[in-house]
Amino acid sequence: MAALDPRVHPYRADLAAKHLQGQVEAPRFVDGTPHDVVEPVAGLRREPSHNARLDTEVLFSERVIVYETTDEGWAWGQLESDGYVGWISANALARPGQAPTHKVTALRTLAFPTADIKAPPLAGLPMGARLAIARQDELFAVTASGWHLPAAHLARLPAAQPDFVAVAEQFLGTPYLWGGKTSLGLDCSALVQISLQAAGLACPRDSDMQEQALGARLAFDDLRRGDLVFWKGHVGIVRDGNTLIHANAHHMAVAIEPVAEALGRIRAAGSEPSSVRRLV
């Protein structure tokens, strides 16, 4: 049988998704059930433990296909958005509700109980979170559950930003967090994914997947805004012919630096660029 990537194919030694029957070996195959994330952000982990490594984060109203829920309160499933597979707290999930109508376009927005910015907020939602908006109340968009969010921080689906690099630039200074996907912390591939998704473009989660799936390969001597530079385990976004922006552990933040400086620093650490990709 051909080897599948367990990051994006739901199978384990003891369990696999029904649709993978015949492609993988497992003693049990099951149909998944759809659930929606009902927390602002939830962690998707390698193992069913809060101490396990964070592989990625799941945003409010994202759809998760759940294949198993344990007695300890963990759900094992696959994200509908980018296909990532892992463990998520079952408390963060509920059966599907209303279909989202809007998405958050600000780095982070707040949900208030009433149309009053002085009221204590109920939740903070990150860029990319989706909501079902029921009505408008002055400058607020209101969900069926009564959350009031600044309408200026939302856009009706499927609105797309015209420049994904400008989206990435909004995250300048955000702390580096392996597996993170919000303005509270994110990693290099998340910066690319969030920015492209804001521009209406599908994007895998990890940098090696992005290098395989995105754009066309080109030479290093023709860099322009929006090109992606890949190293083993890392990716940066070109801002212009001279600078790039990337979330990186050297600065422990999203930083802008000269391309030549980044190439030299990473080369000194023993890693050469593997490719440059241009989205076409």
Side-chain angles (χ1 to χ4, degrees):
M1 296 182 183
L4 300 180
D5 189 338
R7 291 175 297 173
V8 290
H9 293 95
Y11 72 94
R12 311 187 317 234
D14 62 327
L15 176 69
K18 186 78 169 178
H19 69 267
L20 293 179
Q21 197 162 11
Q23 300 181 62
V24 299
E25 295 182 358
R28 186 160 60 102
F29 292 87
V30 299
D31 290 314
T33 56
H35 290 69
D36 288 347
V37 175
V38 292
E39 292 184 354
V41 181
L44 192 80
R45 301 184 182 275
R46 184 68 52 88
E47 303 292 341
S49 167
H50 292 291
N51 294 322
R53 192 177 85 178
L54 180 68
D55 278 342
T56 189
E57 289 181 314
V58 195
L59 310 185
F60 186 80
S61 89
E62 276 201 73
R63 180 65 50 84
V64 182
I65 307 301
V66 173
Y67 294 98
E68 181 186 39
T69 302
T70 70
D71 293 338
E72 292 76 27
W74 288 93
W76 182 71
Q78 182 175 33
L79 307 187
E80 194 174 77
S81 58
D82 61 19
Y84 223 94
V85 175
W87 292 92
I88 185 172
S89 172
N91 291 332
L93 303 174
R95 297 309 288 264
Q98 292 179 294
T101 60
H102 291 68
K103 65 179 179 179
V104 177
T105 55
L107 284 180
R108 186 165 294 273
T109 193
L110 297 174
F112 297 93
T114 63
D116 181 1
I117 60 171
K118 296 180 181 179
L122 301 171
L125 298 174
M127 178 183 288
R130 300 187 174 206
L131 304 108
I133 299 301
R135 61 186 177 89
Q136 191 88 7
D137 184 357
E138 297 180 353
L139 298 179
F140 290 86
V142 186
T143 68
S145 63
W147 282 7
H148 289 63
L149 301 104
H153 291 175
L154 306 178
R156 180 174 288 278
L157 295 171
Q161 297 291 326
D163 180 4
F164 85 92
V165 184
V167 177
E169 290 168 340
Q170 294 181 56
F171 286 89
L172 184 63
T174 296
Y176 180 84
L177 173 64
W178 180 278
K181 271 185 65 172
T182 78
S183 61
L184 296 181
L186 80 176
D187 59 28
C188 65
S189 55
L191 181 65
V192 172
Q193 185 185 54
I194 292 168
S195 301
L196 287 177
Q197 288 176 339
L201 301 172
C203 178
R205 177 59 178 89
D206 291 346
S207 61
D208 64 319
M209 302 175 184
Q210 294 170 354
E211 186 172 16
Q212 292 296 317
L214 300 177
R217 183 184 292 265
L218 69 146
F220 273 85
D221 57 1
D222 184 32
L223 294 180
R224 71 183 187 200
R225 186 175 178 86
D227 291 342
L228 302 176
V229 182
F230 289 93
W231 294 263
K232 183 178 180 180
H234 189 61
V235 59
I237 304 169
V238 175
R239 297 177 64 244
D240 51 47
N242 299 312
T243 63
L244 58 75
I245 183 168
H246 57 152
N248 65 91
H250 176 77
H251 296 94
M252 283 306 296
V254 176
I256 293 172
E257 61 179 322
V259 173
E261 183 177 307
L263 290 173
R265 177 173 55 76
I266 297 175
R267 182 175 290 118
S271 181
E272 292 287 339
S274 54
S275 72
V276 177
R277 312 290 294 187
R278 176 166 297 165
L279 304 178
V280 292

